[in-house]
Amino acid sequence: MAELKTQENDANVKKFIHEFANSEQKITDSLILLDLMEKVTGFEPKMWGPSIIGFGKYHYKSERSKQEGDWPLVGFSPRKTAISLYIYSGGANQDDLLNKLGKFKMGKGCIYVKKLSDIDPEILKKMVLSTMDFLQKKYGKLG
């Protein structure tokens, strides 16, 4: 089985933000997200692969294949066109929270926001907690 490309590593998170984010707004928003997610999750930010900032981790086993591995509980990436938020699990009440989140676009596994001021930070916090709760129930111990 092939090894996952996106793995936790020791790259400097703040250095990544300053080098990767393509605007002052994205840098500012990313630093705010860094603080918010660390406080809500209780986990220090870690780089996952070359461009995802993750908080905590869980071990998953695919129900459809033999693939398994570690993945961040929640995270984000300051991509070129938008900030990708990895906070959606499809768990209980998450669709209700999405309706209150604010202005965003939905991808297959993430939520895209142009700027942090487009969304409600309190709803964002609830989404993070909801995802953590869902993953703990599904996969057990979180790390």
Side-chain angles (χ1 to χ4, degrees):
M1 181 168 43
E3 192 172 320
L4 290 175
K5 292 179 185 177
T6 305
Q7 293 191 20
E8 183 178 350
N9 62 70
D10 291 327
N12 185 296
V13 173
K14 287 187 179 176
K15 182 178 179 190
F16 162 74
I17 289 171
H18 285 282
E19 290 177 356
F20 191 78
N22 63 353
S23 71
E24 285 302 315
Q25 182 67 54
K26 276 213 186 91
I27 291 171
T28 300
D29 287 352
S30 295
L31 294 172
I32 291 168
L33 276 172
L34 202 64
D35 186 54
L36 181 145
M37 288 189 173
E38 185 171 8
K39 285 179 180 169
V40 172
T41 66
F43 292 106
E44 288 184 26
K46 297 282 186 176
M47 290 300 303
W48 285 77
S51 61
I52 295 174
I53 300 166
F55 298 81
K57 64 182 169 185
Y58 66 98
H59 189 80
Y60 72 91
K61 292 183 182 181
S62 174
E63 296 166 3
R64 292 174 282 213
S65 71
K66 293 181 180 182
Q67 186 173 340
E68 68 177 278
D70 292 330
W71 198 253
L73 296 171
V74 295
F76 73 94
S77 183
R79 308 256 184 219
K80 185 181 277 189
T81 57
I83 297 172
S84 299
L85 299 173
Y86 304 100
I87 59 168
Y88 181 78
S89 64
N93 301 324
Q94 283 214 321
D95 288 333
D96 292 336
L97 290 171
L98 276 178
N99 290 330
K100 299 173 186 172
L101 184 59
K103 186 177 174 182
F104 66 91
K105 289 186 179 181
M106 193 77 183
K108 184 175 180 177
C110 61
I111 295 167
Y112 302 106
V113 297
K114 293 279 185 192
K115 54 187 186 288
L116 208 48
S117 61
D118 286 342
I119 60 173
D120 183 330
E122 293 307 312
I123 300 298
L124 175 63
K125 290 175 188 177
K126 289 178 182 180
M127 296 264 322
V128 167
L129 291 170
S130 174
T131 294
M132 290 176 65
D133 183 57
F134 173 83
L135 293 172
Q136 184 167 28
K137 286 176 182 168
K138 184 170 182 173
Y139 296 104
K141 185 178 183 298
L142 306 178

